[in-house]
Amino acid sequence: MRTVVIQPFFESWRDRARELLALGVPPDEVLWSDDAQEPGLFPTTDEASPRGAVPKVPPAFLDMARSVAAHSDAQRWSVLYRVLWRLTCGGERHLLAMATDRDIRQLQQWSKAIGRDIHKMHAFVRFRLVGQDETTGREQFIAWFEPGHRIVRLAAGFFEKRFAGMDWSILTPHECAHWDGRTLHFTPGVPRSAAPDEDALDDLWRTYYRSIFNPARLKVRAMQSEMPKKYWKNLPEAPLIAGLIAESRGRVEDMMRTEARPVKPAPKNAYLDSLHDMNASQPPPPDDPAQAP
């Protein structure tokens, strides 16, 4: 039995898994740990060079492993290695297609949880203005987010593309992402106190949120499903939600009592008038498609 201590990232697991696989080490002889402070009961055994070539694995497994590696469950490394062993040394080349397999089902559940966590991070990160770079003139923003898993590296590409024109940092307890307009890099996680609490843009955001809140389409359960309460504490619009929900019925009743406004005539526009005349001059289509020329 050997303990393998790795960094809590896919690349670290992949490199050690390749070595173990080439050495022919079966899954039941490996204890995985991503905490260097608690390496386990058994010392880490260093091998020399691998004895054989590493078999190829399906690309779908690598995609799933990259996602599962971000999960917080400590058993993910051992399950990933067991599936890797079964796909290669075990000869189960079609294992990934067996949805009823216990290991595959577990990996799929972990992968879905990561996908949901990434979706929530994309939706609920709120940047706050903290300054401006004197050299480049680019505004600098910081956001605080508390994901359920180590998803920062998987989610950061979305923010790099969407907010490429500003410098930003996303701080989390697990890891932090930083973009300066040229490169995306990561640093260790930080406590909540490292992030700003509020800025002048928060009032603007709350005004916008209040204006787009539609009481006629309110579904509280659906809203809380998409916006779980655990995220509310870091959202600037969160203090408004309870009041908007309480006022929603009265606002809908006021809307129902309000008389409909008369439809305003279409504005005069030469281009639109020309299109209208063009359509009016064309003959109507035949009722029977077979009669069409």
Side-chain angles (χ1 to χ4, degrees):
M1 181 67 69
R2 70 191 71 194
T3 295
V4 177
V5 182
I6 61 174
Q7 296 295 317
F9 305 113
F10 165 75
E11 292 78 10
S12 181
W13 172 85
R14 179 194 58 195
D15 293 343
R16 295 309 305 272
R18 284 174 174 174
E19 296 174 3
L20 294 171
L21 200 64
L23 290 167
V25 181
D28 56 2
E29 293 185 8
V30 182
L31 290 177
W32 293 90
S33 174
D34 59 15
D35 187 351
Q37 302 300 322
E38 299 179 7
L41 299 176
F42 303 93
T44 302
T45 302
D46 294 328
E47 300 285 348
S49 58
R51 292 194 297 264
V54 178
K56 293 184 178 180
V57 296
F61 172 74
L62 295 178
D63 292 339
M64 180 180 290
R66 188 173 286 104
S67 175
V68 169
H71 204 277
S72 58
D73 196 305
Q75 297 301 315
R76 64 195 184 282
W77 307 122
S78 59
V79 176
L80 282 172
Y81 185 65
R82 185 162 61 242
V83 171
L84 177 62
W85 177 272
R86 294 174 62 185
L87 284 168
T88 54
C89 300
E92 300 181 59
R93 300 295 298 175
H94 302 290
L95 178 60
L96 295 181
M98 300 176 60
T100 58
D101 182 86
R102 181 177 180 180
D103 288 339
I104 298 302
R105 187 169 64 252
Q106 180 64 81
L107 292 183
Q108 290 175 342
Q109 290 175 352
W110 282 337
S111 184
K112 288 181 180 179
I114 293 301
R116 289 192 298 268
D117 212 23
I118 292 174
H119 173 71
K120 300 305 181 188
M121 182 171 179
H122 289 168
F124 300 134
V125 161
R126 300 289 185 264
F127 287 104
R128 291 185 165 96
L129 181 64
V130 296
Q132 187 175 26
D133 189 291
E134 296 181 357
T135 303
T136 64
R138 290 164 60 90
E139 292 181 317
Q140 299 173 319
F141 294 81
I142 291 180
W144 170 260
F145 189 71
E146 299 179 28
H149 307 283
R150 302 182 64 95
I151 61 169
V152 172
R153 299 194 181 209
L154 297 179
F158 168 85
F159 299 99
E160 177 185 353
K161 294 178 180 179
R162 188 165 185 178
F163 302 104
M166 67 187 198
D167 296 344
W168 51 259
S169 295
I170 300 178
L171 313 181
T172 82
H174 305 300
E175 193 174 24
C176 303
H178 310 274
W179 169 254
D180 61 3
R182 298 179 302 275
T183 59
L184 179 67
H185 67 281
F186 304 91
T187 58
V190 296
R192 175 66 179 86
S193 58
D197 291 325
E198 192 166 344
D199 70 352
L201 294 180
D202 282 2
D203 287 337
L204 181 61
W205 176 257
R206 282 189 283 264
T207 300
Y208 168 74
Y209 184 82
R210 188 185 293 107
S211 67
I212 66 171
F213 185 85
N214 188 345
R217 302 186 62 181
L218 175 63
K219 295 182 179 179
V220 177
R221 290 185 179 180
M223 183 192 70
Q224 291 182 351
S225 176
E226 288 298 317
M227 186 191 292
K229 286 189 174 182
K230 68 177 182 179
Y231 298 110
W232 289 18
K233 61 183 177 180
N234 295 319
L235 298 178
E237 68 270 26
L240 304 177
I241 296 177
L244 292 173
I245 292 175
E247 298 170 0
S248 61
R249 176 170 297 183
R251 291 179 60 187
V252 171
E253 292 175 352
D254 291 341
M255 292 167 59
M256 297 298 292
R257 288 192 297 264
T258 302
E259 296 183 3
R261 298 178 180 177
V263 179
K264 294 182 178 180
K268 290 294 183 180
N269 184 287
Y271 175 70
L272 294 179
D273 290 342
S274 66
L275 292 180
H276 178 75
D277 295 339
M278 185 184 301
N279 291 334
S281 64
Q282 294 179 354
D287 295 335
D288 186 358
Q291 299 179 3

